[in-house]
């Protein structure tokens, strides 16, 4: 192993993001700022705030470990709009963001580390997927050798026992019941960072066993159960479509929180590769102690991310977007079943039923572009990663920009495009058939524009009804209940005449039905009790 | 010693280090220490010619750092060419030279050894001026001075900072090095370090703090106490009415703005400026001034409806004419576009003034005390 290298192990002592909440917000500067350029391989006395440490880890990775000069996770200061240039016949936009922007290939795995989520790294061979995952193991404080040994390599003969542990042969002979068989568990199961290389080459049966570990944090072999605890997972695949040796089990695919693409190497940076080869330096063997998170810090990091508030206006945007995706008007008679899921369970292609829809603008209708809606798990992942992004950027609460940044990576494998939808027919939108990140971002932007057009931030009668209900029914008299019931019925009556059944209207109608039912039941109780 | 590049001949024109120079002697005497640094620099991509050139730049620095040491009786005469394989005599003050060499190699490896670069200037100009400091605490002083020089040079005050440090005695304790550099930076004009520097100065020995602050050691405690209460007071500073400091300026002449600034109240210091569609905070005291852009504060509305100053300033400006401003003790005649009292931090007798025909703001002390 090379001796630690002074430059490679350097972490900036200067705040990585001005104005972040862990950076003093006043204008006064201190001694740490004056001497910020001094090499600081060790964390400053008193410890660095964890969000700052996370940013330091990111910048160390992009500066020294992974050559990824991409800024595809763009942020712009609202006061300074991004400058855009258009190149080539396709008028490819070159946006110059005005706020600190990031490389998804480095940032998303790091956020996965923070929230202990499940990240799938996809891309061709030799793009740095495995190296990136190994770095995450080292940042968790494990020696490189241990991380490499613990990495599981998918192959067609990989069995459950290969992966998780084998029963002791002595017990297999002598045991009188399964409970008597001790299992020699594989050591990687207890690590805080778990790496499965080429997961789409794992046989289906082993994938199913892997599913329980990914989803529930335990593994079962011969009636013996091993609790693996919370950990960050990194899976790699050469083929985004899961076209490895085995088809990836849908349930396993759904458990993955984010999908990150290894972007193409920029040939302008070949010099860095040459220099690295000549120097014989391995970044994973020179990780500065200042960016390593021990178990306590990892726990605290996760807790601090969860504590980032998700404000109501941002939540409403997400609700409005998600509500657009599930409705399939012709899938059923009863309102609750008019969803794409109903069609799928019946074995009918949602696209065929969508063709029968008329009256709605199928180009503008966001829901017409997808074959499915969002699962609860997907929404949970979205909220979690939006919080992680806000935390990483030093924001006091989640902003719309944070949510918009993580959304394409979280929904990458969870939203299936209906490529026959009219929205893809426009020649300008043709590339969205293959560029799923941009497609999902465009979906969200369209939904946000519609949210603004409807002025839902200020005028949200259904939100008002639910907020009123949320305050509780204790002490509400009969006259008030009747007034509220009349208001609900009035809203539905108004829509009956004037509104197409869009996804958000569908969700709102169901919400009004829910509120109506709650009030009706309460009214019955009021009359019975004589209150 | 292994030279970078092995036996490859030096590039024509590349300086060759004189083995008889002070630096040459130190390098030969401490080859076992220096060789790993050279290899590390080369491993990071430092060109052998660049390393040679940088070390040639350091020759006079090494001479300056060892100048006051009496030559030992058995010292090899400098005009006698040492044999490459012969034992190299050690040089008094070698620790200081080695600290400079290590930092120089680090800067070369990081691509920061260029003419005009503040960190190189710190090594070749500031460190010789601070020879007693470097000799006293080489491993503390050298990296700290080089790191701080990069920040200080951005304000154009590197020479003044260096001179202020050189006028002070070397700290007796290595732990005082960084606080001393900080105090000198603030006293030179880096106003944003004021709070940290006041705390640091109070903790330094008066014999060191006095020269850094430019006051008698016996007066340090009193001066700091009084200055904390009034940031515009300092011994021998003018205390009558008039312009205390000028802030900002036109971008082409090194200022922050291309448009005319308007002073408005608000922001973390109470003094803010709206210019070029952006809000800035003004940070100022008797020693320096600066402006800091505020991304999350929009005070542009205040430009349209400037508040009327109250108290002493309000009385002075009551019924003020559009132009000129007769009540302000200023050496110009112009219409004011904003007059902002200092508030609790400074007192209402010191105001920030913007005017119709200047890209600079004036900090003005008006006659009369706070209302």
């Amino acid at each position: 192993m090379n001796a630690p290298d002074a430059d490679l192990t350097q972490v900036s002592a200067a705040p990585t993001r001005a104005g972040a909440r862990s950076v003093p917000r006043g204008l006064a500067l201190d001694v740490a700022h004056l001497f910020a350029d001094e090499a600081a391989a060790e964390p400053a006395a008193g410890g660095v705030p964890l969000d700052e440490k996370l940013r330091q880890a990111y910048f160390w990775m992009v500066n020294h470990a992974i050559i990824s000069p991409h800024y595809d996770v763009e942020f712009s200061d609202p006061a300074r709009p991004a400058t855009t240039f258009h190149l080539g016949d396709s008028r490819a936009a070159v946006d110059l963001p005005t706020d600190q922007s990031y490389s998804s290939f480095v940032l998303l795995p790091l956020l996965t580390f923070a929230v202990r989520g499940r990240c799938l790294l996809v891309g061709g061979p030799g793009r740095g997927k495995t190296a990136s995952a190994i770095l995450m193991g080292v940042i968790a404080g494990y020696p490189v050798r241990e991380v490499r040994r613990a990495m599981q390599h998918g192959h067609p003969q990989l069995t459950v026992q290969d992966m998780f542990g084998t029963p002791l042969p002595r017990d297999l002979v002598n045991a009188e019941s399964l409970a008597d068989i001790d299992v020699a568990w594989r050591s990687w199961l207890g690590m805080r960072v778990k790496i499965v290389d080429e997961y789409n080459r794992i046989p289906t049966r082993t994938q199913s066993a892997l599913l329980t570990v990914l989803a529930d944090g335990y593994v079962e072999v011969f009636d013996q159960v091993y609790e693996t605890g919370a950990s960050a997972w990194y899976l790699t695949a050469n083929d985004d479509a899961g076209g490895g040796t085995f088809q990836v089990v849908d349930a396993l695919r759904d458990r993955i929180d984010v999908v990150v693409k290894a972007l193409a190497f920029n040939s302008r940076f070949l010099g860095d590769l040459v220099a690295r080869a000549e120097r014989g330096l391995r970044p994973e063997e020179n990780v500065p102690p200042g960016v390593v998170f021990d178990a306590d810090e990892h726990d605290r990091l996760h807790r601090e991310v969860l504590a980032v508030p998700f404000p109501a206006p941002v939540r409403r945007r997400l609700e409005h977007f998600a509500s657009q995706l599930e409705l399939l008007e012709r899938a059923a008679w009863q309102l609750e079943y008019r969803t794409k899921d109903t069609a799928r369970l019946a074995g009918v292609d949602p696209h065929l039923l969508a063709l029968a829809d008329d009256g709605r603008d199928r180009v503008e209708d966001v829901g017409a572009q997808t074959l499915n809606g969002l699962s609860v798990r997907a929404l949970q992942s979205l909220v979690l990663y939006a919080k992680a992004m806000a935390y990483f950027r030093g924001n006091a609460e989640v902003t719309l920009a944070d949510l918009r940044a993580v959304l394409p990576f979280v929904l990458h494998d969870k939203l299936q495009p209906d490529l026959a939808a009219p929205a893809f027919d426009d020649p300008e939108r043709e590339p969205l058939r293959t560029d799923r990140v941009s497609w999902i971002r465009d979906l969200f932007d369209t939904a946000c524009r519609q949210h603004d057009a409807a002025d839902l931030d200020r005028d949200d009668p259904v939100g008002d009804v639910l907020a009123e209900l949320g305050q509780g029914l204790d002490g509400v008299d009969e006259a008030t209940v009747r007034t509220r019931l009349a208001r609900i019925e009035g809203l539905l009556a108004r829509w009956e005449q004037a509104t197409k059944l869009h996804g958000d209207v569908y969700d709102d109608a169901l919400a009004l039905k829910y509120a109506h039912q709650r009030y009706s039941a309460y009214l019955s109780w009021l009359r019975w009790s004589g209150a | 010693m292994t030279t970078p590049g092995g036996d490859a001949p030096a590039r024509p024109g590349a300086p060759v280090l004189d083995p008889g120079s002070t630096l040459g002697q130190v390098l030969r005497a401490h080859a076992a220490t220096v060789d790993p640094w050279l290899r590390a620099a080369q491993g990071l991509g430092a060109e052998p010619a660049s390393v040679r050139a940088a070390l040639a730049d350091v020759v006079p620095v090494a001479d300056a750092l060892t100048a006051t040491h009496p030559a030992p009786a058995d010292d090899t005469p400098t005009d006698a060419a040492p044999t490459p394989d012969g034992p190299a005599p050690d040089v008094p003050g070698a620790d200081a030279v080695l600290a400079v060499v290590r930092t120089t190699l680090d800067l070369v490896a990081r691509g920061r050894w260029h003419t005009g670069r503040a960190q190189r200037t710190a090594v070749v100009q500031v460190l010789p001026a601070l020879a007693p400091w470097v000799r006293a605490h080489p491993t503390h002083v050298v990296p700290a001075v080089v790191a701080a020089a990069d920040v200080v040079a951005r304000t154009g005050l590197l020479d003044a900072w260096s001179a202020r440090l050189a006028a002070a005695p070397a700290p007796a304790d290595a732990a005082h090095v960084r606080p001393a550099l900080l105090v000198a930076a603030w006293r030179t004009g880096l106003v944003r370090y004021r709070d940290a520097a006041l705390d640091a100065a109070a903790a330094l020995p008066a014999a060191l703090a006095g020269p850094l602050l430019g006051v008698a050691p016996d007066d340090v405690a009193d001066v700091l106490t009084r200055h904390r209460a009034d940031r515009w007071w300092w011994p021998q500073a003018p205390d009558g009415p008039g312009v205390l400091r000028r802030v900002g300026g036109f971008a082409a002449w090194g200022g922050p703005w291309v448009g005319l600034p308007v002073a408005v109240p608000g922001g973390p210091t109470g003094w803010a400026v709206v210019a070029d569609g952006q809000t800035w905070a003004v940070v100022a005291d008797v020693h320096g001034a600066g402006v800091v852009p505020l991304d999350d504060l929009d005070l542009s509305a205040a430009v349209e409806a400037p508040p009327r100053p109250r108290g002493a300033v309000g009385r002075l400006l009551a019924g003020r004419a559009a132009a000129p401003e007769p009540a302000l003790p200023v050496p110009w005649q112009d219409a004011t576009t904003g007059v902002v009292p200092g508030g609790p931090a400074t007192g209402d007798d010191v105001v920030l003034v913007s005017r119709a025909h200047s890209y600079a703001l004036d900090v003005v002390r008006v006659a009369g005390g706070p209302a």
Side-chain angles (χ1 to χ4, degrees), chain A residues 5 7-8 10 25 27-31 33-35 37-38 77 279 281, chain B residues 43-44 110 112 119 143-144 147-148 151 178 181-182 192-193 268 281 283:
Chain A
D5 187 290
D7 183 73
L8 201 60
Q10 185 189 329
R25 283 199 171 275
L27 302 183
L29 301 175
D30 59 7
V31 70
H33 177 273
L34 186 64
F35 303 103
D37 191 55
E38 246 181 312
D77 182 344
R279 280 150 48 184
L281 294 172
Chain B
L44 287 168
R110 289 155 72 187
R112 298 183 183 187
Q119 289 157 313
V151 177
R178 284 162 164 254
L181 299 183
L182 177 72
R192 289 179 68 187
Y193 293 97
V283 194

Side-chain angles (χ1 to χ4, degrees), chain A residues 327-334 337-340 342-343 348 350 352-360 501:
Chain A
L327 172 71
L328 188 58
E329 207 170 341
R330 306 283 172 173
W333 273 4
Q334 188 172 337
Y337 295 101
R338 290 178 181 251
T339 62
K340 291 167 184 167
T342 303
V348 178
L352 297 176
L353 291 176
L355 287 176
D357 272 352
D358 53 4
R360 287 204 306 267
L501 185 58

Side-chain angles (χ1 to χ4, degrees), chain A residues 210-242:
Chain A
L210 183 61
L211 177 65
T212 62
V213 193
L214 265 170
D216 306 316
Y218 77 92
V219 60
E220 189 177 349
V221 173
F222 276 86
D223 255 5
Q224 306 294 314
V225 174
Y226 183 96
E227 299 275 350
T228 61
S231 51
W233 284 82
Y234 298 93
L235 302 99
T236 74
N238 285 337
D239 182 356
D240 193 4

Side-chain angles (χ1 to χ4, degrees), chain B residues 263-291:
Chain B
V264 293
T269 62
W271 280 351
V273 181
V274 176
D276 302 344
Q278 159 99 50
T279 305
W280 312 68
V282 176
V283 194
D285 71 358
V286 67
H287 300 307
V291 291

Side-chain angles (χ1 to χ4, degrees), chain A residues 130 133-137 147-148 150-153 188 193-197 232-236:
Chain A
T130 309
I134 287 173
L135 273 173
M136 294 300 154
V147 176
R148 286 209 181 96
M151 183 165 51
Q152 300 303 297
H153 297 277
W188 73 281
V193 168
K194 298 183 174 72
I195 304 170
V196 182
D197 205 19
W233 284 82
Y234 298 93
L235 302 99
T236 74

